[in-house]
């Protein structure tokens, strides 16, 4: 059984699909309320370092909860065939991606981009970012110290490649969660959900997309150029606990 089928076989039951999607909404609502209460307490106890420290710990745990929510949302969307595509400038997305990941993982892993050919693809921006973050997270937990991310055109197709250039023995043995254990299956399912062909080796993930022919519409159809900052940005949710 392929790694993708290991997860997709879970979704034969409609109840499981609804379980994932509805629990995703519940988790997001709970984290939103917890975070709002933390902000209120912080404003009232601004000078109390102990309270500020504990509130910070609560927000860190909220990020961990949101990792589960992000996974549930991706799996549920893939299972139900929910796909909201937009025209994505691959070079622009990777520029933002490398910048934000470098800020999150400074001193832990060097993230570079040695080649960014300009091409456009039809895919979900959120799903593609989640896929890349999932692979990056698993790679760093596996000991990656230098990663190069590129996008190039090849025979009228667009290729995004994430390559591990240097790796060391990992010190993250305590991260044996579902995301890490089933990383290959999650990445395969996420790639299939956005219409990408994924190829993965021990040191590289390659995603191949049909190139979007009508690039003139890209700016019109892409709703945002950068991802939101804040306590629960996709980057903070997926990477912040590695740095702590």
């Amino acid at each position: 059984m392929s790694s993708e089928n290991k997860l997709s076989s879970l979704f034969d039951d409609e109840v499981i699909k609804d379980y994932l999607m509805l629990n995703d909404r519940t988790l997001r609502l709970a984290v939103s309320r917890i975070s709002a209460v933390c902000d209120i307490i912080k404003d009232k106890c601004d000078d109390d370092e102990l309270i500020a420290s504990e509130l910070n710990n609560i927000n860190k745990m909220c990020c961990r909860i949101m990792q589960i929510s992000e996974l549930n949302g991706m799996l549920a969307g893939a299972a139900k065939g929910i796909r909201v595509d937009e025209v994505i400038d691959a070079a622009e997305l990777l520029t933002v991606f490398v910048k934000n990941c470098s800020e999150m993982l400074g001193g832990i892993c060097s993230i570079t981009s040695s080649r960014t050919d300009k091409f456009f693809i039809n895919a979900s921006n959120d799903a593609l970012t989640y896929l890349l973050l999932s692979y990056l997270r698993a790679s760093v937990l596996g000991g990656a110290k230098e990663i190069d991310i590129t996008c190039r055109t090849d025979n009228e197709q667009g290729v995004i490649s994430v390559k591990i250039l240097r790796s060391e023995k990992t010190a993250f043995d305590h991260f044996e969660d579902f995301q890490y254990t089933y990383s290959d299956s999650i990445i395969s399912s996420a790639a299939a959900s956005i219409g990408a062909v994924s190829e993965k080796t021990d040191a590289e993930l390659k995603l191949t997309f049909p190139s979007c022919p009508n690039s003139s519409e890209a700016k019109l159809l892409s709703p945002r150029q950068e991802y939101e900052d804040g306590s629960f940005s996709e980057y903070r949710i997926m990477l912040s606990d590695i740095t702590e």
Side-chain angles (χ1 to χ4, degrees):
M1 180 180 288
S2 71
S3 58
E4 180 186 335
N5 288 338
K6 288 179 182 178
L7 283 184
S8 62
S9 62
L10 288 174
F11 307 130
D12 295 333
D13 191 331
E14 289 294 326
V15 175
I16 293 179
K17 297 178 186 179
D18 285 337
Y19 173 84
L20 288 170
M21 184 161 286
L22 294 174
N23 276 349
D24 175 41
R25 295 174 185 171
T26 301
L27 288 174
R28 290 177 186 277
L29 176 61
V31 167
S32 178
R33 294 294 298 273
I34 292 169
S35 178
V37 171
C38 285
D39 287 341
I40 292 171
I41 296 173
K42 185 177 180 180
D43 288 341
K44 292 182 177 179
C45 307
D46 193 39
D47 296 329
D48 193 314
E49 293 184 3
L50 178 60
I51 291 178
S53 176
E54 292 305 319
L55 292 175
N56 186 46
N57 288 333
I58 292 172
N59 277 319
K60 289 177 183 177
M61 290 302 101
C62 283
C63 277
R64 291 286 282 168
I65 294 172
M66 286 297 293
Q67 284 181 20
I68 300 171
S69 184
E70 290 285 315
L71 175 60
N72 285 353
M74 187 280 293
L75 292 177
K80 284 183 170 289
I82 298 172
R83 182 171 167 179
V84 182
D85 284 355
E86 55 205 85
V87 180
I88 301 171
D89 181 333
E92 191 172 83
L93 181 143
L94 288 191
T95 297
V96 174
F97 186 86
V98 169
K99 172 180 176 293
N100 288 344
C101 290
S102 295
E103 290 175 355
M104 293 299 306
L105 296 173
I108 295 176
C109 181
S110 172
I111 316 293
T112 59
S113 183
S114 60
R115 178 176 177 179
T116 52
D117 292 353
K118 196 175 188 64
F119 64 86
F120 297 88
I121 53 179
N122 277 310
S124 163
N125 209 328
D126 288 339
L128 176 54
T129 301
Y130 177 82
L131 191 167
L132 293 173
L133 283 170
S134 293
Y135 180 75
L136 186 70
R137 176 183 173 81
S139 298
V140 173
L141 292 178
K145 301 299 291 183
E146 292 182 20
I147 293 176
D148 188 54
I149 307 175
T150 62
C151 60
R152 68 180 188 276
T153 54
D154 185 8
N155 293 325
E156 298 185 354
Q157 293 180 313
V159 178
I160 294 177
S161 172
V162 187
K163 186 177 292 187
I164 300 171
L165 303 181
R166 182 170 66 90
S167 186
E168 296 179 358
K169 184 178 179 180
T170 179
F172 297 107
D173 295 334
H174 60 290
F175 279 89
E176 289 296 330
D177 56 13
F178 185 91
Q179 294 179 89
Y180 185 68
T181 303
Y182 288 90
S183 173
D184 287 354
S185 297
I186 291 169
I187 289 166
S188 294
S189 294
S193 76
I194 58 174
V197 175
S198 64
E199 300 174 68
K200 186 177 178 298
T201 66
D202 289 341
E204 182 180 16
L205 171 68
K206 185 167 76 171
L207 302 171
T208 303
F209 301 84
S211 185
C212 176
N214 196 358
S215 60
S216 63
E217 296 181 10
K219 298 298 182 182
L220 184 62
L221 296 179
S222 294
R224 60 184 179 181
Q225 299 301 311
E226 295 194 11
Y227 296 101
E228 295 178 0
D229 295 325
S231 298
F232 301 112
S233 71
E234 293 161 298
Y235 298 92
R236 187 166 296 280
I237 288 169
M238 295 295 289
L239 302 177
S240 63
D241 56 327
I242 297 178
T243 68
E244 295 159 0

